[in-house]
Amino acid sequence: MADPPHRRRAHVRSSDLERYAGLFAQRTQVMRSSAMRDLMAVTARPDVISLAGGLPDTSTFPPQTFAAQMTRIAQESAAEALQYGPTEGFRETVDCIVEVMGAEGMLPDPEDVIVTTGGQQAIDLLCKTLVDPGDAVICEAPTYPGAIPVFCSYQADTIQIECDGEGMRIEELEAALERLDGEGRRPKFVYSVPTFQNPAGVTMSLERRRRLVEIARSRELIVVEDNPYGLLRFGGEPMPPLYQLDGGDFVIYIGTFSKILSPGIRLGWAVAPPPVMEKVVLGKQAADLCTSTLTQYFVREYFAAGRWREYVSSVSEIYRERRDAMLEALERHFPPQATWTEPQGGLFVWATLPGYIDTGDLLAKALRKDVAFVPGQAAYVDDRGRNSMRLNFSAGGEDEIREGVRRIGKTIAEQVELYGALTGEHEAVPAKEPEEAEPNVVPFRKAEGE
Amino acid sequence: MKVAVLKGGRSLERSVSLRSGARVEDALERLGHEVLPLEADGALVRRLAKERPDVAFVAMHGLGGEDGTAQELLEILGIPFTGPSVAACVRCIDKSLSKHELRAGGIPTPDWFAFNETAFRKLGAADALGGLEERLGFPLVVKPSRGGSALGVKFAKSQSDVPAALVSAFSYDERVVLERFVGGRELAVSVLGGEPLPIVEAIPRAGDSYDFEARYEIGRTSFVCPAQLDDSEAAAVTEAAVAAYDTLGCSGFSRIDLILADDGPQILEVNAIPGLTDTSLLPQAAEAAGMSFERLVERIVDLALAERAAA
């Protein structure tokens, strides 16, 4: 009798591994990962309070609505909903997209819209369309951590421009563009999350938005505006999206239903001028033929009920309360040496610690207290951000947020105090928790025999 | 035979352990054993007591699995287990302890200081840091005393790098080792049942040091096995590795990491339970010795049972 098929992959020998190593494409060599991935794997333990994710709270979506919609789809459109669809997406989905963009003052031509498998695929398809190995791509510092692996996998030369409280520093962008001019290089695009940025939580000021669009128009430079959070506003005046300021000539827009409805349906979109769109559609055809038909029906049903704005304002209200809880907890539990952003919307706070704290190592220590966050280095292609962290406030309840921030704060305080003791910047003081101190330990000993 | 495979746990090397464990389970199945995969969680002892495996294969790395904790539980339950004893695990996991043992045994290991966090917090040990330059020189390597991976290991190029490097290393353990940096070839000798396997050399493809990233990623580091060494070098390296294995009281299997410097081998650490993943060094060394992964696993299990029979 033949051997039954094995549930795990075939046996791998190390000589095979070398053989595989010879097969890997160049672009896999620049994909980052591993240490951080292993650390992040620990954050998934069920007993860990994770402020690391970027998850919307899907428990806020009424299950009855979900059930009723799916039933209606099954009863009325089963065959169509189970079939392939057009690569660009259904016209009805695009109508929903136009409605969502209209809520932020944008009026895209439906012909310019493509439905994608989440906003993430839109980033991937734009890179696939525009980026050759070695091409310059510009983004914010810090930038969306999920964009970095995309830029890396297309072997882009990623240039990061510092952000402050008003978003990307435009004068620094201009300097970088000048520098590239001098090298005879034309950057393929500037990627920006101008509103409630992931990870920094900051929003680009109106003046900078105008300048960025002017630069794009005068230089014929593409700006990719990624706007997943714009409608999740808790305060402040709405800012016009870059797409609106530009009118869609040089600003390519990426949107998503992930934060206003559900990330599980994997529905996002891109809006681009027709010549770019033509290539993006070809790229999408090659990648996955079309976005899930079933979930496009889901969105169609949902929008037909006409209550999506209500839902968005109800989740925004929940997130506002959670943000408040986080900001209060930060004030209370983080040491005075720490600073953090105070987002007017979105899902994230970005905290910056003294330069001697490496938040990757801090995470290892924090995990012993069963709490997790995203170390800042995940948002950079270079060595910057090592003393920063991203904290999410949308996924968990207020008590969990408070407790998580308390534990992280305590971990930081221990490191600040230790550094003080190490540098003599202040007198060594006893650790706050006596149970953590170890009696009967020889403090240090000379290595060579005494 | 019923073989329990212990894997996972709460250590930072959890995902490496899961990969080691999966591979061992696979091999054990092929060998015709009844495999009992066990996550090292709150139900571990209960399940071991209920299932009564003939032997436990400990495929755990880092704190909790490689430090004698799991081994102690298995001792109490009277279940034979693979790899080193409780005492050897305790000695190997703690670099400051194992370096003392090695030095006392006359086995070369780079000069070092070991500091406890309490020393800085309560005894003003910072004042002793000024002497590092003349005693160890720069660059020096700062690492957590316990922990099997390269997490938290920093290079301090000058005195001013030391405090931040210490803060990082103390994130992983309450004791840290400051060690003289020794340049040379990076070698690993796996010892199986007291016998050395062919020497592996790690050659980083990118960057300047063998880091945690490279350690587990295909394509980041090339490994040469057997390492290209002349006979006298190979003999010196093997001899030092086996001496380290014996001095720390290892049994079953272990992996000794060392640097071959101009003046001979210097032992960096002894891994009581080295990785058994696709990219791990022990399986590569076994293969270079003509031993398949299944045979390696079988031999490790046999050694555990023989140890028990001898006890």
Side-chain angles (χ1 to χ4, degrees):
Chain A
M1 204 178 83
D3 284 339
H6 276 275
R7 63 189 164 86
R8 266 182 296 278
R9 66 181 182 281
H11 192 48
V12 179
R13 301 185 314 157
S14 42
S15 59
D16 294 334
L17 290 168
E18 276 302 306
R19 224 171 284 147
Y20 294 143
L23 294 172
F24 290 134
Q26 274 297 317
R27 60 182 163 275
T28 67
Q29 307 287 327
V30 290
M31 286 183 182
R32 313 188 323 156
S33 55
S34 204
M36 201 48 70
R37 214 170 42 210
D38 282 333
L39 265 183
M40 296 315 284
V42 184
T43 70
R45 278 196 335 240
D47 46 350
V48 169
I49 294 181
S50 181
L51 305 179
L55 310 184
D57 187 345
T58 46
S59 73
T60 57
F61 192 82
Q64 310 87 300
T65 310
F66 186 6
Q69 285 184 196
M70 293 313 271
T71 305
R72 214 157 38 239
I73 292 166
Q75 285 167 348
E76 292 167 16
S77 329
E80 298 90 330
L82 295 174
Q83 191 50 273
Y84 290 112
T87 302
E88 299 83 346
F90 288 113
R91 179 58 202 238
E92 290 84 349
T93 317
V94 172
D95 289 342
C96 301
I97 290 166
V98 170
E99 197 179 327
V100 172
M101 290 180 69
E104 284 191 86
M106 291 172 278
L107 281 168
D109 182 337
E111 295 293 315
D112 293 353
V113 179
I114 182 171
V115 180
T116 57
T117 303
Q120 188 74 21
Q121 188 187 38
I123 304 174
D124 188 82
L125 291 175
L126 288 168
C127 287
K128 194 177 189 177
T129 302
L130 297 167
V131 178
D132 280 320
D135 280 352
V137 163
I138 298 175
C139 64
E140 286 144 350
T143 190
Y144 165 47
I148 290 175
V150 186
F151 299 156
C152 286
S153 66
Y154 287 98
Q155 295 165 277
D157 173 18
T158 307
I159 297 163
Q160 290 192 275
I161 307 294
E162 280 296 331
C163 282
D164 57 23
E166 292 180 53
M168 186 189 281
R169 295 161 84 121
I170 302 296
E171 71 282 9
E172 237 185 79
L173 170 68
E174 285 177 308
L177 291 171
E178 292 294 324
R179 209 164 47 239
L180 287 167
D181 278 349
E183 296 165 9
R185 299 168 72 196
R186 184 183 180 195
K188 287 302 174 75
F189 59 81
V190 177
Y191 171 83
S192 170
V193 184
T195 308
F196 315 137
Q197 199 229 19
N198 176 1
V202 298
T203 294
M204 194 184 288
S205 66
L206 183 57
E207 195 204 326
R208 288 198 188 168
R209 284 171 193 248
R210 291 209 168 106
R211 282 181 63 197
L212 178 56
V213 168
E214 273 166 29
I215 290 167
R217 298 190 72 84
S218 66
R219 286 180 165 262
E220 305 204 330
L221 171 67
I222 288 178
V223 172
V224 175
E225 175 179 36
D226 191 358
N227 184 27
Y229 315 108
L231 288 168
L232 299 178
R233 170 178 297 282
F234 323 138
E237 283 305 301
M239 292 279 175
L242 302 172
Y243 182 87
Q244 185 192 344
L245 294 173
D246 166 66
D249 295 326
F250 293 100
V251 174
I252 294 177
Y253 185 86
I254 298 176
T256 179
F257 289 105
S258 292
K259 312 304 183 298
I260 58 170
L261 174 51
S262 145
I265 61 172
R266 306 307 306 128
L267 273 195
W269 66 89
V271 188
V276 178
M277 187 50 71
E278 202 176 299
K279 302 285 186 199
V280 170
V281 170
L282 288 175
K284 172 144 177 98
Q285 227 158 40
D288 62 358
L289 300 178
C290 68
T291 298
S292 164
T293 312
L294 181 56
T295 60
Q296 290 189 66
Y297 269 81
F298 183 83
V299 164
R300 185 196 297 188
E301 282 293 333
Y302 185 62
F303 274 69
R307 285 202 299 272
W308 72 272
R309 285 165 197 264
E310 250 170 70
Y311 179 68
V312 170
S313 59
S314 74
V315 288
S316 298
E317 182 53 26
I318 292 167
Y319 295 165
R320 188 187 62 73
E321 284 165 7
R322 291 178 182 176
R323 176 209 57 180
D324 291 346
M326 178 168 277
L327 292 178
E328 277 164 32
L330 284 164
E331 195 62 55
R332 192 153 158 213
H333 299 296
F334 269 39
Q337 294 88 342
T339 58
W340 54 87
T341 56
E342 297 191 358
Q344 298 289 308
L347 312 182
F348 305 106
V349 168
W350 179 256
T352 304
L353 308 179
Y356 53 82
I357 292 182
D358 182 319
T359 48
D361 298 319
L362 184 79
L363 174 61
K365 193 174 165 76
L367 281 168
R368 289 210 296 277
K369 295 184 169 65
D370 290 328
V371 64
F373 53 83
V374 173
Q377 67 175 104
Y380 292 84
V381 292
D382 49 31
D383 218 32
R384 284 181 281 176
R386 286 191 170 271
N387 60 327
S388 313
M389 63 170 74
R390 190 190 76 176
L391 299 165
N392 166 268
F393 54 77
S394 60
E398 286 152 49
D399 287 343
E400 204 176 302
I401 290 169
R402 283 188 203 101
E403 177 59 17
V405 170
R406 188 189 70 78
R407 292 183 198 176
I408 297 169
K410 188 168 176 319
T411 316
I412 299 167
E414 287 166 11
Q415 296 213 331
V416 168
E417 189 192 311
L418 176 62
Y419 187 81
L422 287 168
T423 53
E425 276 175 17
H426 52 77
E427 286 299 298
V429 279
K432 278 174 196 158
E433 304 228 343
E435 75 268 23
E436 286 184 9
E438 266 190 280
N440 305 325
V441 178
V442 180
F444 66 93
R445 177 180 287 163
K446 208 168 66 145
E448 285 102 335
E450 284 156 299
Chain B
M1 195 159 53
K2 189 171 181 177
V3 187
V5 177
L6 273 59
K7 59 180 179 176
R10 292 170 54 92
S11 102
L12 295 173
E13 289 163 82
R14 170 186 167 77
S15 57
V16 181
S17 164
L18 292 175
R19 295 207 291 277
S20 289
R23 202 161 171 235
V24 168
E25 287 161 22
D26 193 28
L28 287 167
E29 268 172 25
R30 283 162 188 272
L31 290 164
H33 295 299
E34 183 189 341
V35 178
L36 177 67
L38 285 181
E39 260 274 0
D41 57 19
L44 178 68
V45 173
R46 197 165 63 240
R47 291 201 58 195
L48 281 169
K50 178 164 167 270
E51 301 273 356
R52 298 302 315 171
D54 298 303
V55 60
F57 198 112
V58 186
M60 294 169 68
H61 312 304
L63 297 181
E66 201 176 343
D67 62 356
T69 307
Q71 291 78 0
E72 193 90 59
L73 293 172
L74 291 161
E75 285 277 352
I76 293 166
L77 293 166
I79 298 168
F81 58 88
T82 59
S85 66
V86 174
C89 285
V90 169
R91 285 190 283 264
C92 290
I93 193 81
D94 187 333
K95 292 183 189 72
S96 98
L97 178 56
S98 49
K99 284 171 76 76
H100 279 295
E101 298 273 342
L102 293 172
R103 182 147 293 179
I107 298 159
T109 184
D111 292 342
W112 82 100
F113 290 103
F115 288 91
N116 194 286
E117 201 168 330
T118 316
F120 291 105
R121 288 189 187 274
K122 294 198 172 160
L123 301 175
D127 294 339
L129 289 178
L132 288 174
E133 170 109 56
E134 61 189 76
R135 300 203 190 253
L136 299 178
F138 285 100
L140 57 81
V141 187
V142 182
K143 41 182 151 179
S145 192
R146 295 179 303 164
S149 70
L151 278 170
V153 177
K154 303 268 171 179
F155 290 82
K157 293 192 182 72
S158 67
Q159 190 79 42
S160 63
D161 291 341
V162 173
L166 284 170
V167 169
S168 281
F170 276 128
S171 303
Y172 298 85
D173 193 15
E174 66 269 10
R175 198 180 317 181
V176 301
V177 169
L178 291 88
E179 192 178 59
R180 182 193 293 278
F181 174 78
V182 177
R185 296 168 69 177
E186 300 193 51
L187 305 174
V189 184
S190 298
V191 178
L192 181 62
E195 296 299 321
L197 293 171
I199 302 163
V200 182
E201 177 165 16
I203 303 166
R205 278 191 189 147
D208 55 358
S209 69
Y210 183 51
D211 66 2
F212 188 80
E213 296 269 328
R215 185 170 290 195
Y216 296 109
E217 222 160 309
I218 300 171
R220 285 284 308 276
T221 301
S222 16
F223 295 102
V224 180
C225 186
Q228 303 298 305
L229 300 169
D230 67 40
D231 289 349
S232 66
E233 285 173 332
V237 165
T238 305
E239 191 190 333
V242 173
Y245 179 93
D246 290 338
T247 300
L248 297 180
C250 294
S251 51
F253 66 106
S254 288
R255 192 190 77 220
I256 295 87
D257 293 351
L258 55 94
I259 298 285
L260 179 57
D262 290 341
D263 56 350
Q266 296 271 341
I267 307 288
L268 293 182
E269 61 180 283
V270 178
N271 297 278
I273 305 180
L276 296 164
T277 70
D278 302 346
T279 49
S280 300
L281 306 187
L282 168 58
Q284 287 189 45
E287 197 180 310
M291 185 182 266
S292 68
F293 190 71
E294 278 97 338
R295 274 193 52 214
L296 171 65
V297 167
E298 189 169 35
R299 176 96 174 103
I300 290 170
V301 170
D302 287 347
L303 285 164
L305 294 170
E307 181 108 343
R308 167 54 58 114

